[in-house]
Amino acid sequence: LLHIKGLAANKDKPMFHTIDDFLHVEYRARTRTAWLWASGTTTLKHLFQSLDKDANPPHLRQLAEKIVDERASSSALVTLGDHSTRDHVLEGSVTLLRDLDFYVHLRKTIREGDVGQLQALIPHLIFYFKGGGNGNYCKMMVEYMQWHLYEAPPEISEVIHNHCWLVNPSGRPGHFHPADELQEHNICDIKDTHAPIRANASWDYMTNISPAIPTFSRVGDHVDQCFHLIRGSQHTEPDAEADLQVLMTSF
């Protein structure tokens, strides 16, 4: 039904970008549906028309708070759980929108390099890791925050917080990513893109060229940009409007 490449079942698991695209489309569709529900309208056109008539900030805030309080929060689940007749489908929808909202917020925070906001999200991540059975991640986050907040010298903690959590080698806005993801890119370059072959394949050679591999990659990217070559290094955001309409209709 959806037009996201690689999402259909096959022998291999979908790539991360595929799942990420799907989750963002799902989030947008459910958020749009929530705005229609909160405003009492049936289509986006009617919603925009109603907002044009009453576009004052308090009204928009009232609608947003209604969505969060009743359709996208843990408090909404508590309220629904107190009803004599349980609506498990609605409860599942609220849970999903709450979790998707956190996921999208986290992804945006990382891309923008907002380490302050990222630190504020860590307590939530700890509970998500624990609830999802990711005990090692949960333990690591708890131990790190204990060290970061109460044990590390302030100047050391500040350096790690500001310069080691997220990195942005390109320097472009919205292109931050975790430091361990950068290391994964480096490993890929070492093992694949710039891997020594045949007679050059030795540990000594790899030791010598490894420090220069990030520079090799930047030079390659620069050449690609100069000659408009295509290497497939960028992920193109799909046009999701058709998928949004399909999902909103199903909701």
Side-chain angles (χ1 to χ4, degrees):
L1 295 177
L2 303 182
H3 299 84
I4 301 176
K5 295 181 179 179
L7 189 61
N10 53 46
K11 295 181 180 179
D12 300 322
K13 293 181 180 179
M15 296 180 63
F16 170 77
H17 285 303
T18 302
I19 298 298
D20 186 60
D21 287 340
F22 170 71
L23 292 178
H24 277 79
V25 171
E26 177 86 5
Y27 174 72
R28 290 173 60 188
R30 289 184 176 274
T31 302
R32 286 186 180 185
T33 304
W35 276 96
L36 296 180
W37 165 81
S39 61
T41 55
T42 56
T43 65
L44 291 177
K45 181 179 179 180
H46 293 157
L47 172 61
F48 295 149
Q49 289 175 346
S50 66
L51 293 178
D52 287 339
K53 297 178 181 178
D54 186 12
N56 62 83
H59 176 60
L60 292 175
R61 178 171 179 172
Q62 182 181 14
L63 294 178
E65 289 179 345
K66 182 178 181 180
I67 293 172
V68 173
D69 293 341
E70 300 182 31
R71 289 295 184 269
S73 63
S74 296
S75 60
L77 290 173
V78 172
T79 301
L80 291 173
D82 291 338
H83 292 173
S84 57
T85 303
R86 300 284 295 274
D87 188 339
H88 295 288
V89 174
L90 179 57
E91 291 180 20
S93 177
V94 171
T95 301
L96 181 56
L97 184 53
R98 179 202 63 184
D99 292 349
L100 284 173
D101 185 69
F102 178 81
Y103 173 78
V104 171
H105 186 192
L106 177 63
R107 291 282 292 157
K108 185 174 184 290
T109 297
I110 292 175
R111 286 196 300 269
E112 294 181 352
D114 189 345
V115 292
Q117 183 62 30
L118 183 59
Q119 179 172 326
L121 295 176
I122 285 179
H124 300 275
L125 278 174
I126 290 174
F127 282 101
Y128 272 94
F129 287 145
K130 183 63 176 179
N134 305 110
N136 290 336
Y137 288 123
C138 175
K139 180 180 178 181
M140 179 186 68
M141 297 300 293
V142 170
E143 291 179 347
Y144 175 78
M145 291 309 297
Q146 168 69 22
W147 176 86
H148 173 70
L149 295 174
Y150 303 109
E151 300 175 6
E155 60 275 12
I156 300 298
S157 178
E158 182 179 0
V159 168
I160 293 178
H161 177 263
N162 293 336
H163 302 289
C164 299
W165 282 16
L166 302 174
V167 295
N168 186 356
S170 70
R172 293 180 294 172
H175 283 73
F176 283 86
H177 49 259
D180 59 338
E181 184 178 337
L182 174 63
Q183 183 59 25
E184 292 295 332
H185 293 170
N186 291 336
I187 292 173
C188 177
D189 287 338
I190 292 172
K191 290 185 175 181
D192 184 18
T193 309
H194 302 286
I197 58 176
R198 297 187 178 89
N200 291 328
S202 67
W203 287 111
D204 290 338
Y205 180 76
M206 289 187 64
T207 301
N208 290 332
I209 70 168
S210 290
I213 283 179
T215 302
F216 293 160
S217 297
R218 300 290 85 77
V219 171
D221 292 339
H222 178 69
V223 172
D224 287 349
Q225 294 173 5
C226 290
F227 293 95
H228 304 289
L229 303 178
I230 300 176
R231 296 178 60 199
S233 60
Q234 295 183 351
H235 174 65
T236 303
E237 296 291 339
D239 183 5
E241 191 58 39
D243 292 339
L244 287 169
Q245 296 302 323
V246 171
L247 289 173
M248 290 179 66
T249 301
S250 68
F251 299 153

